[in-house]
Structure formats: C-alpha cells, structure tokens
Amino acid sequence: MKAEIGVRIFNGCVGLVGLAKLARFIVALSLLATVNAFAAVIDTVEIARVGDQAEVTIRFTTEIQYTRHTPGDQGKFLRIFFRVTKPGFSESEVMQEVRRSPKSDLIPPFTLAYPELVNGMLITFAKTTQYVVRAGDDSRSVVIMVPITEDKKISSVERKKGASADKAPTPEVVTTPPVASVAADAPATSGPVVAQMPDAEKPLAEPVLSSEKVEEMAHAFLLDGQEAFSQGDFIKAINRMNRILSLPANTRTIEAQALIGEAREKNGEIAKARAEYELYLKLYANSAEASRIRQRLAALPAVDSIRRPAQRISRDEKPAEWTVNGSVSSYFFGGQSKQDDGPMKRDQESLISSVNVSARLRDSVTDTRFVFRDTDSRNFMQPSRNYNRIYSAYAERTDRDIGYFVRVGRQNPNGGGVLERFDGITGSYNLNPDWKVSAVYGEAVEFGSPFKKDFYGASVELAPQVSRPGASLYAIEQNIDGILNRRAVGSEFRYFDGQFTGFGMLDYDLLYKGLNIGMAQANYLDQWGNNYFVSYDYRQSPSYSLTNALSTAGYSTVTDLVSNVGVTQARQLVTDSTALSTMFATGVTIPFGEQWQFGVDYRMSEISGTSALIPLNQMCKELQDLVNPADPLCVDGPRGTLRISEMGICQPDSYDMINKTCHASSEASGRTNMYSAQAIGTNLFVPNAVGVAYVGYIAGPSYTGQNLGLSYIFPFIENWRLESNARYYTQHSDSGQNTTQFSPSMKLVYQWRNSLSLESEIGYSESKNTGTTESKNRREYLYLGIRWDYR
C-alpha cells in the first residue's frame, strides 16, 4: 500500500456559455490537467425525470453488482456498496475519485466518492434527502430514485394557480430546470416504463394577464390540443392542456382537465390518467361530464402503463441552451516506510490531478453532449513513470424525433460485445418503441500496449419495459495487427420490475470455438425490505486473444507467432493457454428498525490451470549442434535463438522429440471461499453519522485469513466531516508462514459553498511476518487535497 498526500479540485460546471467560450474553457482546463494514477471506475452521472421522481443513474466503466446501501431510505450521506465483478480488479489500487452531480433543479445537488469504506461509494447530498436505491438494468449501473420535493414539483391542483408546462416521463437523460408533473407517482424504474416521448418544456405563464387575454389564450390552446388529439399526437395534446391548466381559472379549465386525462390514457400513461380523472371528479363532481369520466376511470386497466405505438414528438419553440459541468482536482501524495529496524525512507512523492468537463446543448427533441476527462501523474521520485491519459473525449447527439443516437470519440464500452475502451463511433436507430438496431466501429485503447486492435459490430435489441424482459443479439469482429483475432456472437438479457432486477450475458467466440463469457446477476427486494443478491460469472481470463499465446510460445508479437506456427496452431495455443475464471457470490441485507442494517455475504472464486503443447522450430540452428541432450530444442524469435528451457517455458522432461513439441502448463489457483458479515448503523450517536463493523473469513487452498474492520463517519459543525477507519488482518499458511497487519487512518473533509472541498488524511500500516521467515514493516502516509467544482 502506497502512502499518500493529496490535493484535489474536482467536478465543476461552467454555466450557460456560447460555443466559443466553451472551447476556450476546455482548453484552459486541459492545461491544468495532471491526473489519476488509475483509470476511473465511475463513468457518468445522469439525472432524468420520471413522473414525480428524479431518476439518478450512476454508470461505471466496468462490470459491477450492487449489494446493499445505507441508510435505508433517507439521509444526507448515502453509502452504496457494490462489487466490481471483472476478474483482476483490486479496489486497493484505485485512487479515490469524486464526481459532482449534473446541474438540475429537480433534486438537491450531491457529490459521490469512490472507493470509500470497503466496496463502498459515498453520496453526499446538500441536505437530507429521501431515496430508493436499486441495481440498474445492466451490469454497469446503479439507480437512485429521489422524490421531487414540493417546492420543485407542481401538482395538477397547483397548475390551476399557475405553473410550468408538463413534461412527460422519458428515459432520455435530462439536466434541466423543474417542470410540472401530474399528481400520480411514476414507478421507480430505470429505462422506458412505456415508450414515451417528452412533452415540450414551456415558459411560465405571464404573471399578470387580463381575463380577456386568458380566455383568448385558453381558447387557442384548446383548439390546438383538440387537433393534436384527433391526429394521435397525444404528447402535444397533453402539452396544450397543461398550458390551459397553468393559466388562471377560465371557461376552458374543466374541458382541459377532462381532455388531459384522455390524452394520458391514449398515451399509455395509465397511472397519470387515473390521477387526472380522479382530480376531475374531486373538483367537478357535479359537472355534465362527470358521469363519462367515472366510466373512463372504471375502465382503466389495472397496470400503471401500457405500450403504445410510436408517435411524433412536438418540437418546442423554446430555444436550446448550453449547460456546462466542469471539475478540476489535484492531489499530492507522499509517505515513508521502513523494514525491520532499519531507518524510515521516503518511498512516494507524486502529484496527481484531473479534469472533467461535460457540456450539453438540449432542446425538447435533441440532446447534444461533449465529454472530456483527462488524468495526469507526476512522480517526483521516478520521473520516468510520469504519464498523461485521456480516458474520455467524445461528442454525442440524440434526436428523439427521428430516433437516432450517435457518439464519436474516446468512450467506454457499453455492451454489444465491446470489451475495451475505444476510439471510434457508435450509433443506434429506433425502429419503433420496442426495437432498435445499433452498430459500432473503433480501435481499442489499451494504455502502454504495443498492439493495434480494431473492430466493428452490430446488434438488434428489444427494449425492456416494466415487468417485460428485454434482450439483444450482437455480432462483432476484431483484428489485431491486421490478423483476425475475435469473431463473436452473443446476447444480453434484462428484466426489472418493482422488486426484481436481473441481467445476463453470453459471449461465444467462433474462432476459438468456446464460450468467452457467461454471467448472470440478480437483485430482489422483498416486502419486508430485505435485499438479496446473487451472481455467477464464468469467463476466459483474459478473454480469448492471440496475445494470450505470446508468453507461452515465446514470441513478442502476434505477427511473429502466426508467421512461425500458423494461424490455426496459434489459435489452438490460445485455447490451451487461456485460464478459466469462475466466481459466485450471494448475500442478503436485513434492516433492523430505523437505525441498523445487517448483511451476510458469501463469495467463491477460482482460476483453472492451463496446458498447452508448443511446436518447436525445426530450423533452429542449434539443432545441428546439440550441447545438452536434456535441452535439445530451441526457437528462433525477434531476439535471436534461445533454448526453450532458457525461456522458462518448458520443463526438461516435457519434450516430445518425435512430434517436436514441449508441454507448458500452469497450475490452477484452487478454490477460495470468503464469508463476511457487516453491521451498519445510521444516525449513530449524532444525526447523519454512520458506523460500519465488518468481519470476514477467507479459506484458500493453502491458507486461511480473518479480516476485521471498523469505520465511523462523524459530521460536525456545518460542512465538516471526520472519518476514522481501522482494519486488522491475520493470515495462516499451511507452510507455517503467518502474517498480521493493522491499518488505522483518519480523514478530515471540509466543504465550502458547495464548490470548494478541502480534505486531508493520515494513517499508517504495520505488518509482521512470522514462521519460516520473519520480518516487520511499517508505512506512514499523509495526503492533502483540494477540489473545485464549477457549474
């Protein structure tokens, strides 16, 4: 574990600016960048309106599974626990990243930080907030549903006193000023509850209007809405009725209230239609239309939404506007360590900074975004390890009228068989509300890799809806240095409703004739609030690729490998030398009262061994002059002629002199079982404080280990927070070697005016090894950080 002194300035916005100002802003921030030591895990934070709730979707750059959160449904500090399921990931190697929420008037602003505690992400709201947390409808997201507060939402009754125009729920991401909503709550779901398109946003009614002007406007809106209704444009009809209902009471109010209910019913918004009808009967129970409205209300289906045919979206005359979120952060890390009784020696001194910019131009139909994330590391002790990396740099555009989406630039994979970050283009087109087709082309971005991987693929998807599964089928092909490296077909499955969320994926490679990935995960919330999760992951580790055979066969490039052994034998080597990773996890979180949650987890992991037959070069010059009969064969490579035994690939007794091969193998890791339990207390001793106790037991193939942890987050005064952590680990090996480690730390955080954050952390780690060898190590660290948010 490396010591740390850090300075951070992160997440910010630049407000509404013109395109020229935006360009200058991005250039300026780019010059400030000096960034993260490790790739970001958090990809995007998006806010969408779904009925009277705001849907916050946190997307990740890698595969994750949500396990639990605390507090249960309300708090200023929300902690979400999840596991990164991709093999080889280590949370201890990830530097903490902080993101600020996009600009939105729907919910209080918030920041999120990961990692925090064990497998945890901390979300800090500006004030105490209610929420519902669940897994996203894929393996790369978590969804938070937040009720829109009374000062942000406008009920149907309030609309009569003057309010903004209604905006129908839409799965499209929004970062906009508040808009009106109907009285009914929409289901807390991610993705399209129904295939709805957004109502256009409209300006507020004029503060002072004569009665004649009100009647004139109401009459015009009614005629426009009735025409739209007759033509099947229910979105526009809803919009025009809301215009009338946002005016002072007039002769068209009653008619508008009736028609908006019918328009919502025709639009598939059953819950909202029910709310509109009920409001009509409450306000106008003795009207001439009351009997008909009662009949329509009684005839509504029991479900809250139904599917409807695609409709044209009404473009609002309100001009598009720019919003820009930006952040700059900087850390300075440093520490010292010693071994046994030796002196303390400085072992780290580095500056790590980051820039994160997201700009958006949005109107009622189109949504255009620009995203830029850059990291840079300055290592003052080893300047040769300095680097600068651009993790994201793309532009995208969505048109909900035409139904297309396109993104160009450096981006993270988002399904469809794409496994790596890439530079390229991806796009999709909605054939109808249920089906869409997608395509992708790009070049993989693997920092430090000498290989060039380019790929292209296509997919077709049935969009999931509430209580109805969705699925996609894809095909993808990849070349590495001009040689065909991957040809795969696969499918992704999704399902979600109010209690259950499930995701599955299959990826089969036709070249290697094997299943590359097979995984499934699910979350279930029962009626008592207990949250269950289960996941199974079966995959080649790493995924099938010609590069997997390089170290086995002793070549440094794919071209050399294929040239010497042939493409068929090279692919066979890949199959034989690629290990299989299997992981299983399950657990449950049980709430006890308002203050406590208890969780129990089980995890299993194992990696298979490999066994490959390596063909040896019969033209090797040393075959003519054997010196050592136990090492008779050698290969020609880019670095000259080497004996196989000198390359460390084959054991002397593994040669087949007749077939000119040797046997190379690696042992299986064996199965590791991990059992853990957590107790999480909220509002512990003081409001918004959180305490976590953790105990774990590990049973490996040749060792056992115990892990204990205590954490406490203490908010005090205003905008101050003190975090304390202590961890103890002990391990006993079958060989007689034992290890113990104790690691306490303390962090202080100060937030100033929601835009500047200062923090510092001190800690140390002390470990002791006893048994066949003995040693004692101690490490001390400190970091200071500053983060600036602007929007």
Side-chain angles (χ1 to χ4, degrees):
M1 176 180 179
K2 291 200 170 182
E4 308 148 1
I5 302 178
V7 185
R8 318 200 256 195
I9 313 173
F10 206 87
N11 285 339
C13 307
V14 184
L16 302 177
V17 296
L19 188 57
K21 291 183 179 180
L22 171 64
R24 291 196 295 270
F25 180 77
I26 293 176
V27 170
L29 289 185
S30 301
L31 296 176
L32 293 174
T34 45
V35 186
N36 262 5
F38 300 92
V41 173
I42 301 170
D43 187 11
T44 60
V45 181
E46 303 166 347
I47 301 176
R49 188 186 186 101
V50 179
D52 284 348
Q53 301 184 79
E55 180 185 77
V56 180
T57 303
I58 303 170
R59 300 192 183 279
F60 301 92
T61 61
T62 187
E63 300 159 1
I64 64 102
Q65 181 173 34
Y66 159 75
T67 57
R68 58 181 57 92
H69 70 277
T70 187
D73 57 8
Q74 178 175 295
K76 181 176 181 181
F77 302 104
L78 167 63
R79 282 170 177 81
I80 299 177
F81 297 91
F82 61 87
R83 294 172 42 254
V84 175
T85 58
K86 190 171 184 179
F89 176 84
S90 175
E91 187 180 83
S92 63
E93 296 180 357
V94 177
M95 192 190 78
Q96 187 181 73
E97 54 183 312
V98 180
R99 296 286 181 87
R100 188 170 177 82
S101 62
K103 184 178 181 181
S104 173
D105 292 328
L106 298 176
I107 60 175
F110 60 87
T111 59
L112 54 87
Y114 173 83
E116 197 260 358
L117 297 181
V118 180
N119 297 323
M121 176 174 62
L122 172 65
I123 297 178
T124 305
F125 292 100
K127 61 181 181 180
T128 300
T129 302
Q130 293 183 327
Y131 46 75
V132 174
V133 181
R134 68 171 183 82
D137 60 0
D138 56 17
S139 62
R140 293 174 178 264
S141 62
V142 171
V143 174
I144 308 170
M145 303 300 298
V146 180
I148 299 173
T149 56
E150 290 301 325
D151 59 329
K152 302 297 183 185
K153 68 180 179 180
I154 304 173
S155 68
S156 295
V157 176
E158 291 171 318
R159 287 186 312 218
K160 294 170 176 50
K161 299 179 181 179
S164 61
D166 176 62
K167 182 179 185 296
T170 172
E172 298 299 334
V173 178
V174 297
T175 316
T176 60
V179 292
S181 62
V182 299
D185 289 337
T189 60
S190 165
V193 175
V194 292
Q196 300 178 115
M197 300 302 183
D199 296 349
E201 296 177 7
K202 299 298 179 182
L204 295 173
E206 298 177 19
V208 179
L209 292 173
S210 65
S211 59
E212 293 80 5
K213 182 64 174 178
V214 169
E215 291 294 339
E216 178 185 344
M217 293 175 64
H219 180 68
F221 288 145
L222 182 63
L223 292 178
D224 199 18
Q226 288 174 333
E227 181 181 3
F229 186 91
S230 65
Q231 295 176 353
D233 190 349
F234 304 120
I235 295 292
K236 183 176 180 180
I238 293 170
N239 179 276
R240 296 306 182 257
M241 295 309 100
N242 268 316
R243 288 291 192 94
I244 297 174
L245 296 173
S246 69
L247 295 170
N250 55 80
T251 59
R252 309 296 180 180
T253 299
I254 299 178
E255 193 172 356
Q257 183 62 49
L259 187 57
I260 194 173
E262 294 184 51
R264 289 197 182 280
E265 179 183 350
K266 295 289 187 181
N267 197 44
E269 304 172 57
I270 304 304
K272 292 188 175 185
R274 183 178 292 111
E276 302 287 9
Y277 288 152
E278 289 173 349
L279 180 61
Y280 181 96
L281 294 174
K282 179 180 179 180
L283 298 175
Y284 314 114
N286 299 320
S287 69
E289 290 288 300
S291 176
R292 185 178 66 85
I293 296 302
R294 289 190 185 95
Q295 292 176 2
R296 297 199 72 91
L297 178 60
L300 288 177
V303 296
D304 286 343
S305 63
I306 60 175
R307 293 159 58 190
R308 62 172 177 81
Q311 297 177 7
R312 185 180 180 277
I313 299 177
S314 301
R315 183 178 294 274
D316 197 305
E317 60 268 19
K318 181 180 178 181
E321 59 183 17
W322 280 100
T323 58
V324 181
N325 298 287
S327 65
V328 183
S329 67
S330 186
Y331 299 73
F332 180 75
F333 294 84
Q336 57 184 8
S337 60
K338 71 173 184 177
Q339 185 172 0
D340 298 325
D341 295 326
M344 277 286 186
K345 295 182 180 180
R346 185 182 59 174
D347 58 15
Q348 185 181 24
E349 187 174 308
S350 59
L351 178 68
I352 302 174
S353 307
S354 64
V355 170
N356 182 358
V357 181
S358 178
R360 188 172 206 165
L361 179 65
R362 181 181 181 275
D363 58 27
S364 61
V365 173
T366 63
D367 190 353
T368 304
R369 298 177 63 198
F370 299 90
V371 173
F372 176 80
R373 300 189 188 104
D374 181 74
T375 61
D376 181 277
S377 177
R378 304 290 101 181
N379 189 317
F380 300 117
M381 297 186 66
Q382 295 179 283
S384 61
R385 300 181 64 180
N386 294 346
Y387 65 81
N388 183 280
R389 294 173 180 171
I390 298 176
Y391 289 107
S392 295
Y394 62 82
E396 68 176 36
R397 183 175 176 86
T398 301
D399 190 306
R400 292 185 290 275
D401 188 5
I402 301 175
Y404 74 81
F405 164 81
V406 63
R407 176 185 290 178
V408 180
R410 180 163 297 180
Q411 52 196 288
N412 291 303
N414 192 27
V418 181
L419 304 179
E420 305 107 337
R421 176 185 287 107
F422 68 96
D423 292 336
I425 180 170
T426 182
S428 64
Y429 178 75
N430 298 325
L431 300 174
N432 56 46
D434 291 330
W435 293 92
K436 75 174 180 180
V437 291
S438 304
V440 62
Y441 173 81
E443 182 177 321
V445 176
E446 297 176 316
F447 298 110
S449 172
F451 307 108
K452 179 182 178 180
K453 297 180 181 179
D454 57 88
F455 61 88
Y456 56 90
S459 65
V460 58
E461 178 182 355
L462 172 65
Q465 296 183 12
V466 178
S467 301
R468 191 199 74 178
S472 65
L473 296 173
Y474 65 80
I476 190 167
E477 190 166 283
Q478 181 195 79
N479 296 298
I480 180 169
D481 293 343
I483 301 171
L484 186 60
N485 184 52
R486 168 171 159 82
R487 177 179 288 161
V489 294
S491 181
E492 297 177 350
F493 311 90
R494 300 177 177 85
Y495 177 86
F496 58 90
D497 56 29
Q499 294 181 289
F500 180 86
T501 301
F503 175 82
M505 176 182 177
L506 294 173
D507 184 282
Y508 184 86
D509 200 301
L510 301 174
L511 296 178
Y512 304 98
K513 298 180 176 59
L515 185 64
N516 199 28
I517 300 173
M519 59 88 68
Q521 62 182 47
N523 289 80
Y524 177 73
L525 181 67
D526 68 19
Q527 58 182 324
W528 299 283
N530 302 323
N531 181 63
Y532 305 84
F533 74 88
V534 62
S535 67
Y536 178 76
D537 192 290
Y538 171 103
R539 70 178 66 205
Q540 306 301 322
S541 182
S543 299
Y544 284 131
S545 172
L546 288 170
T547 57
N548 298 1
L550 293 180
S551 60
T552 302
Y555 296 98
S556 59
T557 70
V558 171
T559 303
D560 288 340
L561 171 67
V562 174
S563 298
N564 282 277
V565 305
V567 67
T568 301
Q569 184 62 42
R571 287 173 182 155
Q572 184 61 48
L573 281 174
V574 170
T575 302
D576 295 340
S577 58
T578 299
L580 176 65
S581 168
T582 305
M583 295 189 295
F584 174 79
T586 186
V588 60
T589 302
I590 303 173
F592 282 82
E594 297 293 326
Q595 195 172 22
W596 288 96
Q597 288 186 349
F598 293 90
V600 180
D601 299 346
Y602 166 74
R603 285 181 288 161
M604 179 278 294
S605 65
E606 61 180 335
I607 298 177
S608 71
T610 63
S611 179
L613 287 177
I614 304 174
L616 303 174
N617 190 344
Q618 299 183 50
M619 301 302 294
C620 175
K621 291 178 296 183
E622 294 191 24
L623 285 173
Q624 307 300 321
D625 184 19
L626 300 180
V627 178
N628 182 2
D631 185 16
L633 300 177
C634 53
V635 295
D636 287 328
R639 292 168 295 180
T641 302
L642 292 175
R643 295 179 184 273
I644 291 295
S645 60
E646 291 174 343
M647 299 169 63
I649 297 173
C650 300
Q651 297 300 320
D653 59 353
S654 68
Y655 296 115
D656 183 338
M657 298 295 295
I658 297 176
N659 296 312
K660 299 286 193 300
T661 62
C662 76
H663 184 259
S665 63
S666 64
E667 295 184 359
S669 68
R671 178 171 295 186
T672 299
N673 298 291
M674 293 157 279
Y675 309 84
S676 62
Q678 281 186 337
I680 307 172
T682 58
N683 297 316
L684 205 59
F685 307 125
V686 297
N688 293 316
V690 175
V692 179
Y694 172 89
V695 58
Y697 176 78
I698 304 173
S702 60
Y703 69 93
T704 60
Q706 297 81 41
N707 192 10
L708 301 173
L710 287 174
S711 300
Y712 185 70
I713 292 86
F714 173 59
F716 64 99
I717 314 177
E718 184 177 3
N719 300 325
W720 287 87
R721 187 173 78 249
L722 185 65
E723 302 179 9
S724 56
N725 296 278
R727 294 187 177 89
Y728 177 79
Y729 177 74
T730 179
Q731 178 176 302
H732 305 279
S733 301
D734 295 345
S735 63
Q737 190 72 28
N738 301 319
T739 300
T740 59
Q741 186 177 47
F742 178 60
S743 304
S745 65
M746 189 81 68
K747 179 192 288 188
L748 183 65
V749 181
Y750 172 68
Q751 182 74 38
W752 183 71
R753 292 188 177 180
N754 292 323
S755 61
L756 188 66
S757 178
L758 306 173
E759 64 182 70
S760 65
E761 180 174 333
I762 58 172
Y764 77 92
S765 176
E766 189 168 289
S767 62
K768 181 184 294 186
N769 298 310
T770 59
T772 54
T773 60
E774 296 191 1
S775 64
K776 185 177 181 180
N777 301 284
R778 181 183 177 91
R779 179 160 176 63
E780 301 172 350
Y781 71 88
L782 163 72
Y783 90 71
L784 303 171
I786 183 170
R787 185 185 76 250
W788 176 62
D789 302 324
Y790 179 78
R791 62 179 180 176

